[in-house]
Amino acid sequence: MKASVIVVTFNRAPILVHCIDKLLNQSVDDYEVIVVDDGSTDGTEDLIKKIDDKRVLYLKNEKNMGQPFSRNRGIKIANGEVIIFVDSDVLVHKNFVEDHLKIHERNDKLIVQGLVRHIRDIKDYNKMNLKIDGLCLSGLVTQNVSVRRKWLLEVGGLDESFGTIMGYEDIELGRRLKGIGLKTVYSWRRCLAWHMDGRETDERLESVFNKAFMFGRNAVKFSRMYGKKVAMRHLKKNYVFFINKILGTEYWVEKKGLNYLKTHKNGFSYPILKWIIKYYYRGKGIKEALKEEGSIYDY
């Protein structure tokens, strides 16, 4: 059984080089690494050209098209029976590919969801910690997951209507895969991977809040696709709006809150304030999406 590892990247050359390095140093040999460059402008193409390894296939979008389009492009050209999705800021264990393949040998209709441990520096690679994510009971998380290619093709791949806005496109795919009978196996001690969070710079904070905004927007789209029952679980509009209303975030986050957070990264209140501001931007994304598609009271 052969695997195709698909890595979608956008302007992440400094960490991508480490991601690919780990993927090319595996305990098995019969696999390929498909890098789909979603319109990067940071020298990613030059980086890939320097890699002298026939297992690496490189595709570049002329412009930023979004993760669904890019992952589907990788699926179409993949030669592997099993598709493994890995984010470009994730570093994998040397047995990573082998572990995914061994689990698929048990059953033909599996989603193998690997968990991801969070680290700040590359030197922390291969260390265990308690900050783990990837557990998604209703779908899947593409930062570390594998599915047989034939099932991805059967359900039509990822929904490209999500466009370049991040969030829920992988969960939505997971629901369709489960709809044709696939079962999820959560791998706790195998398929190990580490997500490179990096340091809490101003740039990273802005990225975190932008993602919260995009996830809010796509939560609306996802909820409209699957109805109010799903909306209550994923959109969480009432909860998000309640948090923002009771804390009056619209009056202080963008005026003073962001600047305060950036200048008090070592403060005791930093984690709590960061959490509150993330909810503010998620709520802002929800409101914007609801206004575009109809009354904000639809859900």
Side-chain angles (χ1 to χ4, degrees):
M1 189 185 304
K2 181 177 179 178
S4 295
V5 184
I6 297 177
V7 182
V8 174
T9 189
F10 176 64
N11 286 342
R12 277 181 174 168
I15 185 61
L16 177 65
V17 65
H18 297 286
C19 172
I20 295 176
D21 176 65
K22 301 301 182 188
L23 285 171
L24 292 179
N25 286 281
Q26 293 291 299
S27 56
V28 293
D29 296 317
D30 191 19
Y31 66 97
E32 62 186 3
V33 179
I34 302 172
V35 179
V36 185
D37 181 351
D38 196 14
S40 296
T41 58
D42 66 343
T44 292
E45 185 172 359
D46 294 333
L47 168 70
I48 299 297
K49 286 179 179 178
K50 293 178 182 178
I51 299 174
D52 185 19
D53 195 308
K54 294 181 179 179
R55 290 173 296 176
V56 178
L57 305 177
Y58 177 70
L59 302 173
K60 183 170 184 177
N61 299 334
E62 292 184 4
K63 61 179 182 178
N64 188 244
M65 298 294 294
Q67 294 192 27
F69 175 90
S70 300
R71 288 198 170 101
N72 284 344
R73 193 176 178 194
I75 293 168
K76 289 173 184 176
I77 71 158
N79 296 302
E81 187 178 343
V82 172
I83 301 293
I84 306 175
F85 292 117
V86 177
D87 281 353
S88 58
D89 54 0
V90 168
L91 311 178
V92 305
H93 188 269
K94 65 179 181 178
N95 296 327
F96 180 79
V97 173
E98 182 179 6
D99 286 343
H100 272 280
L101 290 176
K102 280 185 176 180
I103 297 174
H104 279 285
E105 289 174 357
R106 303 176 191 171
N107 190 314
D108 184 56
K109 300 188 76 171
L110 291 180
I111 297 169
V112 180
Q113 183 70 65
L115 304 184
V116 172
R117 290 153 176 82
H118 288 262
I119 56 176
R120 297 256 179 160
D121 292 317
I122 292 175
K123 63 181 177 62
D124 296 322
Y125 165 75
N126 214 15
K127 292 182 179 179
M128 296 298 174
N129 57 51
L130 297 177
K131 190 178 180 183
I132 300 173
D133 66 22
L135 185 64
C136 180
L137 300 179
S138 59
L140 57 81
V141 183
T142 46
Q143 60 186 354
N144 175 8
V145 72
S146 62
V147 182
R148 288 183 187 258
R149 181 173 181 265
K150 63 181 179 181
W151 304 128
L152 292 169
L153 293 174
E154 181 169 323
V155 299
L158 288 94
D159 186 341
E160 296 180 15
S161 70
F162 280 92
T164 58
I165 299 177
M166 293 177 61
Y168 291 93
E169 71 279 356
D170 47 1
I171 296 176
E172 194 279 328
L173 171 64
R175 286 184 67 93
R176 283 186 282 123
L177 289 168
K178 290 185 176 184
I180 62 170
L182 271 68
K183 305 297 182 183
T184 302
V185 171
Y186 295 98
S187 181
W188 298 87
R189 289 181 290 181
R190 289 185 174 185
C191 310
L192 299 177
W194 290 262
H195 183 275
M196 257 293 299
D197 291 350
R199 294 295 173 181
E200 291 287 286
T201 62
D202 290 355
E203 182 179 19
R204 170 165 167 73
L205 278 176
E206 290 170 3
S207 175
V208 166
F209 298 142
N210 184 47
K211 285 181 181 179
F213 173 79
M214 289 192 289
F215 270 63
R217 285 184 57 87
N218 268 359
V220 174
K221 178 180 179 64
F222 179 69
S223 299
R224 289 189 183 278
M225 293 171 73
Y226 288 98
K228 290 188 177 182
K229 185 176 181 180
V230 170
M232 291 294 291
R233 188 164 67 251
H234 291 278
L235 183 56
K236 299 179 181 178
K237 177 179 74 70
N238 293 338
Y239 177 70
V240 172
F241 285 4
F242 174 76
I243 292 291
N244 284 314
K245 184 175 182 179
I246 199 171
L247 296 174
T249 53
E250 64 178 300
Y251 300 109
W252 58 269
V253 166
E254 295 189 49
K255 294 179 180 179
K256 297 181 179 179
L258 283 174
N259 288 333
Y260 181 87
L261 187 73
K262 290 177 180 178
T263 55
H264 291 77
K265 293 188 178 72
N266 297 319
F268 175 78
S269 63
Y270 179 80
I272 299 173
L273 186 58
K274 180 181 175 183
W275 175 82
I276 292 171
I277 294 177
K278 281 177 67 175
Y279 264 90
Y280 165 77
Y281 280 103
R282 182 179 176 89
K284 188 174 181 180
I286 291 172
K287 285 183 178 179
E288 183 171 305
L290 288 173
K291 286 179 180 178
E292 288 178 1
E293 298 188 38
S295 169
I296 63 170
Y297 301 105
D298 284 355
Y299 280 89

